[in-house]
Amino acid sequence: MHAIRIHRPGDPSALIYEEVANPEPGPGEVRVRLRAAGVNHRDIWVRQGVFGDFPDPLIPGSDGAGEIDALGPGARDYAVGQKIVINPGLSCGRCVFCLSGQQNSCAYYHIVDGTYAEQIVLPVQNVVPMPSGLTFIEAASIGIPFVTAEDFLARAQAVTGQTIVVWGANGGLGLATIQLARIRGMRIFAVVRSNSYVDRLKQIGASDVIVWDGKTSLSSNIMNMTASKGADIVVDSLGEKSFMQSLEMVRHGGTIITVGATTGGKIQMELGPFFRRRLTMLGAYMGSSAILPRILPLFSRGTLLPVIDKTFSLSDAQAAHSHMESRGLFGKIILDI
Ligand SMILES: [Zn+2]
C-alpha cells in the first residue's frame, strides 16, 4: 500500500509518500481500506515532534473513513465491504474510567495514528458503521473535532440560553463547537480574523460574529453584548494570544475551556481574581468513545453538517499541511485516498 510516513520531525517536507507493506489484522482487529483521512491540528504537532519521541517511521493521521477489507480472528459484527468511520481513541478498556465511559481519562489513553495511508489495522471497537447520506470525505471530517467539542460542552454543563465565545471559529473545532452549541440553544459569539467568514458562520449557527484584528482586546465587545455580565463559557483554542482576554470576558462563576493552544501555551496570570471570581478552567482533550456513534446519525438527518474547506490527494499531504498552517481556511482539510 501507499502511506505518508515521517522519519524525522520537521516542516511539511517531513511527510514522505512511500510504498509500504500491507498491515495484517491480528486477533480482534480489522483492516480498513481508507478512502479519506481528516487532517487535524494534532497531526501538525505530531509532525513537529511536539509530543516527544515517536517511532521511525510513523504514519500520522487520526480521523478517517473507509471500508473493512479484512477481519482478524474473532473480529465479529463487521463484514468485508462494510463502510465505517474511525473512532480514534485507544484505551485499556479495564480501568474505572474506561468502565464508566470516560476513556479519555484512562492512564493509557492515546489517539490513533496511521490514517494517512491506504490501509490501517485497528481493534474492532475503534470502528463505527458509517451512516447513510455521507460521503467518505464528509465522514472523515467528523471524529476529533466533534467528539472533543461534545465532550467539553457536556463537562461545562452548557445549557439553553447560555452565552458562549468561540475563538478560531472558522477551524474544524470551532465549527463543530458552534453547531453543537446551536443545538443546545446557546447564544454563540464566533471570533474570526476575516470578514469573509461572517455569512457562512451565521448560516452554521453563530448568533454574532466578531472580526478580530489580532491586536485589540475583545472583552469590551463581549461585555457590551452580554449586558456587562460576560460570557458563561469561553472556548479558547489559541492559548497565548487569547487567554488573558478570555479571562476578562468570562462571567463570574463562568468556565474557560482550554483546548489546543495553537498560538503557544505559556501564560502568566494572577490567581487572586481567578478564585475570587469563582472561575473554572477546563482542559479538554478528546472524549468518551460513546460520543461518535451517538452523534453520527445527526449528520444523516442534517442536524449537523460536515464543513469541508479543501481536499488533497494522499500524495499531496505536504500541501495539505502547508494549507492548514496558512490558517486561511473554513472547515476541514481532507486527504482523498
Ligand atoms: Zn482505561
Side-chain angles (χ1 to χ4, degrees):
M1 69 157 179
H2 290 96
I4 296 291
R5 299 204 295 187
I6 305 172
H7 297 277
R8 273 170 298 287
D11 66 17
S13 68
L15 302 169
I16 315 289
Y17 182 68
E18 293 176 332
E19 174 91 46
V20 300
N22 291 352
E24 293 301 327
E29 293 181 330
V30 293
R31 185 172 67 201
V32 178
R33 171 62 175 94
L34 287 155
R35 299 294 178 186
V39 177
N40 289 294
H41 206 95
R42 178 180 186 277
D43 308 344
I44 292 175
W45 288 321
V46 167
R47 192 200 75 214
Q48 292 171 334
V50 169
F51 300 123
D53 292 342
F54 57 74
D56 171 12
L58 174 95
I59 302 175
S62 309
D63 279 328
E67 295 146 331
I68 302 280
D69 84 340
L71 298 166
R76 283 185 273 276
D77 304 328
Y78 286 94
V80 170
Q82 160 89 54
K83 294 179 180 177
I84 60 87
V85 185
I86 290 173
N87 202 356
L90 295 163
S91 62
C92 81
R94 296 182 296 277
C95 71
V96 289
F97 299 107
C98 287
L99 294 173
S100 57
Q102 302 168 63
Q103 289 83 5
N104 53 336
S105 292
C106 172
Y108 298 98
Y109 186 79
H110 64 282
I111 296 177
V112 166
D113 285 305
T115 62
Y116 289 15
E118 289 170 344
Q119 296 178 345
I120 187 172
V121 163
L122 288 166
V124 69
Q125 60 267 32
N126 285 92
V127 297
V128 180
M130 190 169 119
S132 60
L134 284 181
T135 65
F136 287 120
I137 285 169
E138 290 169 337
S141 75
I142 297 166
I144 286 184
F146 277 89
V147 170
T148 303
E150 177 61 22
D151 190 71
F152 68 58
L153 288 172
R155 286 171 63 211
Q157 300 179 318
V159 295
T160 307
Q162 284 188 321
T163 51
I164 183 168
V165 176
V166 182
W167 290 95
N170 53 301
L173 181 72
L175 291 164
T177 306
I178 289 169
Q179 294 194 63
L180 293 166
R182 183 198 74 221
I183 61 179
R184 282 173 162 81
M186 303 180 79
R187 183 175 176 201
I188 302 153
F189 304 111
V191 182
V192 288
R193 295 289 296 271
S194 165
N195 270 315
S196 64
Y197 304 131
V198 174
D199 291 343
R200 284 177 289 174
L201 281 166
K202 289 195 169 168
Q203 281 166 14
I204 289 287
S207 322
D208 297 273
V209 182
I210 302 162
V211 180
W212 181 47
D213 63 8
K215 301 183 194 94
T216 49
S217 172
L218 289 186
S219 46
S220 55
N221 300 41
I222 299 296
M223 297 311 274
N224 287 339
M225 289 190 281
T226 55
S228 301
K229 288 198 199 79
D232 293 296
I233 296 172
V234 180
V235 181
D236 191 324
S237 57
L238 307 187
E240 273 179 31
K241 278 208 162 185
S242 53
F243 192 81
M244 298 316 285
Q245 295 188 60
S246 297
L247 274 175
E248 287 173 12
M249 65 176 70
V250 70
R251 72 162 166 84
H252 287 226
T255 300
I256 299 173
I257 293 161
T258 173
V259 51
T262 55
T263 63
K266 286 203 175 68
I267 56 154
Q268 197 171 19
M269 69 175 187
E270 286 290 331
L271 287 172
F274 191 89
F275 71 75
R276 282 195 295 275
R277 295 173 61 212
R278 300 176 55 253
L279 301 182
T280 299
M281 183 165 152
L282 196 152
Y285 188 72
M286 278 295 283
S288 149
S289 301
I291 294 174
L292 189 64
R294 220 170 54 215
I295 63 172
L296 280 176
L298 300 182
F299 288 87
S300 289
R301 295 207 290 273
T303 309
L304 295 172
L305 296 172
V307 183
I308 312 298
D309 176 83
K310 198 170 176 186
T311 61
F312 293 83
S313 66
L314 179 63
S315 56
D316 275 340
Q318 294 184 1
H321 273 217
S322 297
H323 182 58
M324 184 162 220
E325 288 174 291
S326 74
R327 294 177 185 274
L329 44 82
F330 190 87
K332 293 287 297 183
I333 297 167
I334 307 290
L335 300 176
D336 189 357
I337 302 171

